[in-house]
Amino acid sequence: MTWPSFGFPIGAWFFLSLIPLVILYFLKLKRPRLEVPSLALWQSVVNDQRVNSPFQKFRRNLLLLLQLLLLMLVILALMQPFISAGPETAEYLPVLIDCSASMSSKVDGSDKTRLDLAKEQVKAMIENLRGSGKIALFSFASGGRRLTEFTDDAQILMRALDRVQPTHRASKLDEVLRMAEAYARTSPIERVTVITDGNLKDRVDFELPFTLDIQRVEEGGDNLGITEMNARRSGPESWDIFVRVGGSTAEPAFGDLTLKMDGEVVGRETVSASKGDSERVVFSIDATDTTLLQATLAPTNYDSLDVDNTVWLTLPKPRPLKAWTSPELYSWQHALSVQAEVEVDSQKEPSAAEYDLIVTDAEDLQGSEAPIVIYNGVIPEDVADLVSVGDVDVDDTRVQIVDWVSTAPLLRHVRLRDVQIGQKARYAENATASKLEERGYEVLVHGAEGPLMLQKRQGLETKYYFLFHTDRSTLPYRIAFPILVSNVIESALQRASLSEVNAAPTGVLPPLNLEPEREFTVQGPNGEADTFRSTASGLLTGVQAEVVGKYDIKDGADVVASIGTGLLSALETSLESVTELQFAELTVKTDETQMIDSDQQLWWVLAALAFVLLMVEWWYFQRDKTGVTK
C-alpha cells in the first residue's frame, strides 16, 4: 500500500487552529434570562450550564463536528497531499533531448511528433521532482546545447522545455555526452537519461563514466525523402544531376520528383523507394552560367517528415582549371598544358593571388594560394629534423619504393614499383613515420630508408610533397606519370567544384568566393539575416545554415550569390531506430519509453469535499424545520 505524501507538510501547523474553534464553542452559548412558571425545562438548563462550563463533558453537537471536519479538510488540502507515481529522481540527473530532424516526424494516427512525445516524457519527470532531485536539460542534434543548470525549480525547467524545437540536422550523440561528462566532474552524476527516437549511429566513440539510460519514443509514420544530390560535368557546358530517394517502409512508396533550374521545371520523374532499396534518378541539363537547382519530392501517400523533401544545389559557371607550374618543371608543365580543361600560367613567378592548382619546386609561393599544391624536391621546414634527402652516389644501393597508399586521390591506379629515383630520402636518428604523423603529415610513398612522398591537410588546402625531384627520376617516362597528372587534375577540379558538385547539407554553408574584405548580408529561408565579412582572399566562410532552403548573399540590396541546403541524411530519412549502441567498451540497449505517470495530486479532492460539506452544513441548518409549506 502506498501512503500519501505531502508537498507542503509545514501546513500541518494549521491544525492548531482547531483549538480556538473548540474554545469559541465553549464560550458561544449566551441565553437571555427569563422566568417561567414551570420546572419542566430545568433539566435542559442544567445541561446547558454544564456545556458552558470549561473542561466539562459537553453533549454531542453536529455543528461543531461539521466545522471541525471542514477545517481539517481545508488544512489537508493546504498541505498538498499526493500519491507518488514512483521513486524520486536521482539527486543530479542530466536529461538529453534528441532534436534531430527525424524527431519532427509525425506519429501514425496523430498530429503529434516524436519530439512532442519526448517533451511529454520530460515534463512528467519534472513534475515528479520533490526537492531532493535536480535536473539539467540538454538538447542535441549534430551538436549539443545546455538548456539549464541543475535545478529543482519546475518553472525554469518547464520554460526551457517549451523552447525546445526540432532542428534540420542529423543526430550525433558524442558531443552532448562529452558535455554531460564535463558536468560529472563537478556534480555527483551517476545516471544520464537520453530521450530519443533511436535514430542514431550504432557506434559511439565515447567511454561512459556513468550509467546511460536511453529511452526510445514511439516510431514515426511512413516517410519518403531525398537522401543525396550531386552534379557531374558531362561536357563543357553540360551536367548530369544525380538525385537519390530513400524510404522508411518495407513496401515501396511512390512519389513525384521535380527538378527546377532557376525556378523553371527542367525534369520530372516518378520514383519509388523502400527501406534498404533506394532509387537514383539522373537528369541531364545544360548550364552556361552559375545556376541554382531545386529538387522537390511530392510523396503520393502519407509522409510523416517534410524536411527531407526539398534539396538545393548551386552549379558554378563553367571555366577552365587555373594552374601555375614552375618553369623548370618541364614534365609537369607539358603534361598540364596539353589538357583541354586546364589553363596553365607559364610565367616565372605566380601572377595571381589564387589558383586552383600549383606545382612548384620551391616552398615560397610568393603569396599565392591554391586548394592543391604539389611540391617537388622540397622538404617542409617543420620536419627537416626528421628527414633528409641527398643525391644517390655510384656506390649507393638503388632507391626502392617499398609501398604506397593506393587509395590516396593522387595515387589511384598508379604503379610505382619500377620507378628509379636519383635522390635518396632517409629518416634521421630515432625518427619514424609516427613522428611525422604527430606533426600533421601522412606518408603516401614509403622508401626502404625513408619517406618519399608526404601529404598534409591544412584547412581548405592540401599539400603534397615529393621529397625527391620528379625530374631526377624515371617517373615522367613511365605510364604512371600521365595517370598521376590526370588524378591531380581531377582532384583540383573537384576541389574547385568544376567537375563535381555536391549539395550542401544543413549546418554550415560551403566557402564562397566573393569580393575580398567586404561585408555581405546572408538572408536565410526563414527570413533571418546576418552580416559576414569576406577574407583578404575573398572567401566567405562560417555561415550557419540551420534550416533547409535557399540562402541569398547580398551586397547591399543586390543578390550576388544564392546557395541552398538539404537534410541529405539517409539515416534521418529512414526513421530507423537502433536497439543498441556500441560504445568503446560496452553495449547499451535502447529501451522503449514507458510514459512516466505523474504524482496523483489529492488536494483538489479534499478541497471539493470541503466545499460539499460546507453546502450540506448551510442547507441543514438553514432549512425550514417547522415543516410548514409557505
Side-chain angles (χ1 to χ4, degrees), residues 335-589:
L336 292 172
S337 61
V338 297
Q339 302 293 328
E341 67 270 28
V342 181
E343 181 182 287
V344 180
D345 184 354
S346 58
Q347 297 187 41
K348 187 175 182 179
E349 294 181 353
S351 59
E354 291 184 359
Y355 293 91
D356 300 313
L357 171 65
I358 292 178
V359 183
T360 179
D361 55 2
E363 193 165 14
D364 185 9
L365 299 180
Q366 306 294 324
S368 295
E369 296 178 350
I372 294 181
V373 181
I374 298 177
Y375 295 91
N376 276 265
V378 175
I379 300 177
E381 291 184 1
D382 51 348
V383 297
D385 60 327
L386 300 179
V387 180
S388 63
V389 177
D391 293 337
V392 178
D393 296 332
V394 178
D395 298 333
D396 287 343
T397 58
R398 185 172 66 91
V399 177
Q400 294 182 347
I401 296 179
V402 176
D403 194 14
W404 61 93
V405 182
S406 59
T407 57
L410 264 62
L411 301 180
R412 286 176 297 184
H413 312 297
V414 175
R415 295 182 59 85
L416 300 173
R417 187 72 64 186
D418 56 349
V419 174
Q420 298 182 16
I421 303 173
Q423 291 178 307
K424 180 178 292 188
R426 295 181 177 89
Y427 280 118
E429 187 177 356
N430 298 325
T432 60
S434 60
K435 291 187 176 181
L436 288 172
E437 293 176 358
E438 291 175 359
R439 302 187 186 183
Y441 291 87
E442 179 185 357
V443 180
L444 297 184
V445 180
H446 297 265
E449 300 182 34
L452 296 173
M453 183 179 178
L454 304 176
Q455 172 186 270
K456 184 176 184 179
R457 293 186 177 92
Q458 190 172 5
L460 301 176
E461 189 177 59
T462 302
K463 298 179 180 180
Y464 297 92
Y465 292 87
F466 285 95
L467 301 185
F468 63 95
H469 202 294
T470 54
D471 283 349
R472 301 192 62 179
S473 70
T474 60
L475 177 61
Y477 307 101
R478 303 292 183 183
I479 191 65
F481 188 66
I483 299 176
L484 174 66
V485 173
S486 177
N487 290 340
V488 170
I489 294 174
E490 182 63 27
S491 296
L493 286 171
Q494 290 181 2
R495 293 293 296 273
S497 299
L498 294 175
S499 66
E500 187 172 344
V501 185
N502 295 318
T506 52
V508 179
L509 293 181
L512 301 172
N513 287 308
L514 303 170
E515 291 187 31
E517 297 184 342
R518 192 176 181 87
E519 288 191 348
F520 296 91
T521 301
V522 180
Q523 184 170 351
N526 53 6
E528 296 182 359
D530 203 353
T531 301
F532 297 86
R533 187 175 182 83
S534 59
T535 64
S537 59
L539 282 180
L540 189 66
T541 60
V543 179
Q544 296 292 317
E546 297 294 337
V547 298
V548 172
K550 184 180 70 167
Y551 291 79
D552 291 327
I553 292 83
K554 297 182 178 180
D555 183 2
D558 299 330
V559 177
V560 296
S562 293
I563 189 169
T565 61
L567 178 59
L568 300 173
S569 172
L571 181 62
E572 297 294 313
T573 295
S574 71
L575 302 182
E576 187 174 1
S577 299
V578 295
T579 57
E580 60 181 25
L581 297 178
Q582 181 64 52
F583 288 83
E585 297 179 352
L586 53 87
T587 300
V588 177
K589 292 186 178 297

Side-chain angles (χ1 to χ4, degrees), residues 221-261:
D222 299 344
N223 183 48
L224 195 69
I226 302 173
T227 61
E228 181 183 352
M229 183 177 182
N230 57 66
R232 186 176 302 160
R233 183 182 287 183
S234 57
E237 297 179 351
S238 301
W239 295 84
D240 288 334
I241 312 300
F242 302 91
V243 182
R244 186 178 297 277
V245 176
S248 66
T249 57
E251 297 297 326
F254 296 87
D256 293 325
L257 181 65
T258 303
L259 181 67
K260 293 183 180 180
M261 184 170 69

Side-chain angles (χ1 to χ4, degrees), residues 110 112-127 158 161 195 217 593 595-596 598:
S110 173
K112 289 185 176 181
T113 65
R114 286 170 155 182
L115 185 59
D116 292 334
L117 299 181
K119 292 169 73 171
E120 290 178 1
Q121 178 77 358
V122 178
K123 181 180 180 181
M125 298 172 66
I126 295 172
E127 291 176 346
M158 287 296 188
L161 185 62
I195 310 295
V217 298
T593 296
M595 185 56 65
I596 297 176
S598 300

Side-chain angles (χ1 to χ4, degrees), residues 29 31 36 38-52 59:
L29 193 56
R31 299 199 178 209
V36 293
S38 174
L39 297 177
L41 300 177
W42 181 252
Q43 184 63 37
S44 176
V45 171
V46 172
N47 291 339
D48 288 343
Q49 184 66 29
R50 184 181 296 119
V51 170
N52 279 327
R59 63 184 176 86

